[in-house]
Amino acid sequence: MARKTKYIVITGGVLSGLGKGIATASIGHLLGSKLRIIPIKCDGYLNTDPGTMNPIEHGEVFVLDDGGEVDMDFGHYERFLGVNCKFDWNLTMGKVYQAILYKERRGDYLGRTVQLIPHVTDEIKKWFRAIAEEEKADICLIEIGGTVGDIENELYIEAVRQLAKEEGNDNIVFVHLTYIPLPSNVGEQKSKPTQQSVKLLNERGIFPDVLIGRSEKPLEPKIKEKIARFCNVRAEAVISGENVKTVYEVPLRYDADGLTEILHKRLNIYSPPRTVRWRKLVNNILEPSQEIAIAICGKYTKLHDSYASIIEALIHAGAHNDTRVKVDWIEATQIEQGKISVEKSLEGIDGVIVPGGFGTRGIEGKIEVIRYCREREIPYLGICYGMQLAVVEFARNVCNIEGANTTEIVEDGGEVENAVICILPSQEKIDRKGGTMRLGGQDIMLKKGTLTRKIYKEAQIRERFRHRYEVNPMFVPELEKCGLVFSGTTPEGDIMQVLELPDHPFFFGTQYHPELLSRLEKPEPLFRELVKAALERKSQATG
Ligand code: GLN
């Protein structure tokens, strides 16, 4: 019999920001031990992808192996499900309309009026089914962005309503994530916002099977019953989604509250539990025996979402070192403007990360921080811009290359005397903003005998990139002569991808984003070692 994909549709109500991505990823985690689960995210905005959106507004841009730029939710999917997501699994209204307008111009609609219903909704359903088929999915998780009632997601909601009719009741489950407030003056959990939000769904022809109630405290049986009665679901299908200390606890909580069983029954599926090792690691996150502090020195440090994957990678690395990693934020511009000294801002810090970034603002501050880490033997990991600026710092202060800089500052009207970092030849001719970067998974050769190779234990790795500039090959011999080791390159050897300082306790830079591949069950090796080095430094300091 041909495989029949089943669908789990996740919608949100009452408020945005309840963590629908985590909820979706957690559901997938619970079912994913034996089943092939494919997450699909539907966004209402008209950008084709979030690649050109400001990280302050939209959080981190997550990069997929196929080069797709997607939002942070895909980070959750990959981390909780262990799948490599594809760009096509992110529908945006921009992409949907683009496809429709292209067809319209090509004459595919044969003179008919092209309408929101059925043409747009058909296009959306077609998209879902194409993914289901191509991926041979047992289950497609469809997360609909935004909150029910938003104009932006109406067409997705209408599309899944139609999908349910066409696929049949046994093949689709609707999960609605809502908010159950606990007003302090009343002192009890309130169900009204959930009732109203479910009504909005009902008006649109969707009758949720499962309600997950986000709340500060676990849901009381009384509130579960009330919600069940007013929202027309069984009380067992009202799942408690209380606040937890770490997002990795969420699948465990759902499971304990019976969600896995409900989904198994409702869809007539089974996938054995896979939470044992996960549970152990979650315990390590919750009750570690040691603690260190890592500073992230960047430009958007007020909005932690712009460094979401780095924070997660540190949590994973911590769990494997039985260590809590406290993250301190250092605003590079403050150092640059002399508002705070490097020394002061690194007080009590056991390791430093300079993450990816763009533009001129803040870079001199970052360079000062890097210099301090290099000279004072503070464990340092430079990611992308953090690697490039480590090269600039080394060129200026060790090789005495005057005016060494990246040509990225020229874009902002700067001048570069010695361009140790310059534009990739392959990116030179591109002048549109969207999609002009070297993006996605690339192979890297690690040089024999280097620390990097020892850490990764492989001669070749594959990591994800998002950049326009690279180490200028003209300066490589001189940098190497002064002691900088380029331990990883493209297979052709032409682009420098990893650097290390062999005489430093821990000093690495990667042109790629190692944080994107870190998983709770499989931490990224450089992050794991950074935490180890930071622990060592701390024990020496307190020694
Ligand atoms: N701005 C740098 C470049 O484009 C670094 C990019 C990044 O850190 N992601 O190459």
Side-chain angles (χ1 to χ4, degrees):
M1 206 182 82
R3 178 190 298 266
K4 176 95 186 138
T5 300
K6 309 214 170 189
Y7 295 89
I8 300 178
V9 177
I10 296 100
T11 53
V14 185
L15 292 180
S16 61
L18 291 178
K20 225 177 320 120
I22 299 279
T24 304
S26 297
I27 291 171
H29 179 84
L30 290 174
L31 302 177
S33 68
K34 280 278 169 345
L35 300 172
R36 177 141 171 89
I37 312 241
I38 302 299
I40 300 173
K41 167 103 196 274
C42 303
D43 285 308
Y45 50 75
L46 292 174
N47 306 62
T48 49
D49 65 51
T52 51
M53 292 185 188
N54 184 342
I56 290 197
E57 206 176 295
H58 202 75
E60 170 186 76
V61 175
F62 195 81
V63 182
L64 300 174
D65 188 75
D66 67 8
E69 296 177 283
V70 286
D71 75 12
M72 289 165 46
D73 280 336
F74 279 86
H76 303 314
Y77 300 160
E78 291 205 343
R79 287 187 283 267
F80 279 63
L81 284 160
V83 288
N84 264 337
C85 294
K86 297 187 184 159
F87 186 50
D88 268 354
W89 305 355
N90 185 198
L91 273 75
T92 64
M93 271 304 163
K95 280 186 191 170
V96 173
Y97 284 138
Q98 196 175 44
I100 286 177
L101 293 178
Y102 176 76
K103 283 190 200 164
E104 188 271 337
R105 288 292 85 186
R106 207 172 54 183
D108 287 10
Y109 295 105
L110 305 171
R112 283 191 300 264
T113 310
V114 184
Q115 293 182 300
L116 298 183
I117 304 173
H119 299 103
V120 174
T121 47
D122 278 355
E123 185 68 32
I124 294 169
K125 285 184 292 173
K126 211 176 90 201
W127 208 305
F128 295 154
R129 291 186 169 118
I131 295 170
E133 188 156 323
E134 192 177 325
E135 302 299 331
K136 301 193 173 44
D138 292 308
I139 294 177
C140 281
L141 300 170
I142 300 175
E143 178 187 336
I144 299 183
T147 307
V148 56
D150 293 349
I151 290 179
E152 301 231 310
N153 64 22
E154 292 288 9
L155 289 166
Y156 290 125
I157 299 223
E158 169 59 14
V160 290
R161 183 195 68 77
Q162 295 174 17
L163 188 75
K165 268 204 111 41
E166 293 161 20
E167 295 293 319
N169 198 34
D170 290 347
N171 299 316
I172 190 161
V173 169
F174 288 97
V175 177
H176 189 55
L177 185 74
T178 92
Y179 180 59
I180 321 268
L182 178 64
S184 56
N185 59 330
V186 193
E188 63 171 19
Q189 294 174 320
K190 299 305 255 175
S191 67
K192 189 73 77 190
T194 299
Q195 294 179 38
Q196 286 170 339
S197 157
V198 169
K199 255 197 202 109
L200 287 178
L201 268 181
N202 293 164
E203 279 168 14
R204 289 159 177 76
I206 288 173
F207 300 85
D209 304 275
V210 175
L211 296 173
I212 301 179
R214 290 280 293 109
S215 61
E216 278 159 52
K217 301 261 163 57
L219 299 190
E220 308 272 348
K222 212 173 86 194
I223 191 88
K224 285 192 176 185
E225 269 155 39
K226 185 159 182 196
I227 292 173
R229 189 169 329 119
F230 281 98
C231 300
N232 202 28
V233 295
R234 300 206 328 268
E236 311 87 82
V238 182
I239 303 292
S240 187
E242 75 268 21
N243 289 353
V244 282
K245 290 218 181 71
T246 161
V247 292
Y248 299 100
E249 235 184 312
V250 174
L252 301 175
R253 292 295 308 122
Y254 287 177
D255 189 50
D257 218 20
L259 180 59
T260 320
E261 213 181 312
I262 289 170
L263 294 173
H264 282 169
K265 267 199 208 137
R266 180 63 182 68
L267 288 174
N268 198 16
I269 51 168
Y270 180 71
S271 190
R274 67 159 177 191
T275 45
V276 185
R277 189 165 142 68
W278 188 275
R279 192 180 300 270
K280 198 187 151 290
L281 290 164
V282 169
N283 284 342
N284 281 2
I285 298 174
L286 294 175
E287 284 163 16
S289 43
Q290 319 164 78
E291 181 177 295
I292 53 154
I294 299 282
I296 299 180
C297 173
K299 193 165 64 168
Y300 305 112
T301 54
K302 275 204 202 74
L303 199 86
H304 301 174
D305 271 1
S306 28
Y307 303 109
S309 293
I310 293 182
I311 298 172
E312 297 309 317
L314 286 171
I315 292 173
H316 306 159
H320 286 260
N321 283 292
D322 192 18
T323 300
R324 170 168 299 122
V325 180
K326 233 179 86 236
V327 174
D328 266 32
W329 300 93
I330 298 182
E331 189 60 46
T333 44
Q334 300 263 323
I335 294 175
E336 186 167 287
Q337 294 158 5
K339 289 192 180 138
I340 181 166
S341 70
V342 181
E343 221 167 333
K344 182 105 196 90
S345 55
L346 292 185
E347 240 171 41
I349 295 296
D350 308 301
V352 172
I353 292 176
V354 171
F358 293 87
T360 308
R361 202 165 59 84
I363 70 166
E364 290 302 326
K366 292 181 194 177
I367 290 170
E368 271 188 61
V369 167
I370 297 169
R371 177 178 194 165
Y372 194 86
C373 291
R374 182 178 55 75
E375 291 178 346
R376 308 288 173 110
E377 306 206 323
I378 299 172
Y380 174 77
L381 176 60
I383 297 173
C384 207
Y385 217 1
M387 177 229 194
Q388 297 172 357
L389 296 176
V391 171
V392 171
E393 190 279 322
F394 194 86
R396 284 185 194 171
N397 301 321
V398 181
C399 309
N400 295 317
I401 301 174
E402 228 159 273
N405 219 329
T406 162
T407 55
E408 188 157 350
I409 65 164
V410 179
E411 263 182 43
D412 290 354
E415 233 177 89
V416 177
E417 211 178 316
N418 278 303
V420 289
I421 304 293
C422 60
I423 202 112
L424 282 158
S426 52
Q427 308 305 121
E428 231 159 33
K429 289 188 205 77
I430 309 176
D431 58 1
R432 283 170 307 119
K433 270 278 183 232
T436 63
M437 284 190 270
R438 178 168 180 256
L439 280 169
Q442 310 265 352
D443 293 334
I444 299 154
M445 303 303 290
L446 299 181
K447 271 195 206 125
K448 243 189 167 148
T450 59
L451 298 168
T452 310
R453 173 109 166 229
K454 226 161 119 198
I455 287 175
Y456 279 99
K457 296 193 180 78
E458 319 235 25
Q460 188 178 331
I461 56 173
R462 187 175 174 83
E463 297 272 350
R464 296 189 191 165
F465 292 78
R466 182 173 190 253
H467 68 125
R468 288 193 187 89
Y469 297 83
E470 63 163 325
V471 179
N472 187 343
M474 267 171 43
F475 285 92
V476 168
E478 197 169 345
L479 291 162
E480 283 181 331
K481 214 168 69 206
C482 297
L484 195 65
V485 171
F486 289 104
S487 46
T489 64
T490 40
E492 298 74 27
D494 55 344
I495 304 180
M496 303 301 119
Q497 318 270 52
V498 196
L499 64 79
E500 64 183 42
L501 282 179
D503 295 331
H504 191 286
F506 186 99
F507 193 103
F508 291 86
T510 62
Q511 187 58 79
Y512 53 86
H513 289 269
E515 71 274 20
L516 299 179
L517 291 187
S518 186
R519 309 277 183 261
L520 180 57
E521 288 147 305
K522 201 167 170 279
E524 214 286 335
L526 280 177
F527 275 86
R528 192 193 58 220
E529 294 306 307
L530 169 68
V531 169
K532 223 182 256 170
L535 275 168
E536 227 151 82
R537 181 181 164 83
K538 187 174 176 179
S539 77
Q540 276 164 11
T542 52

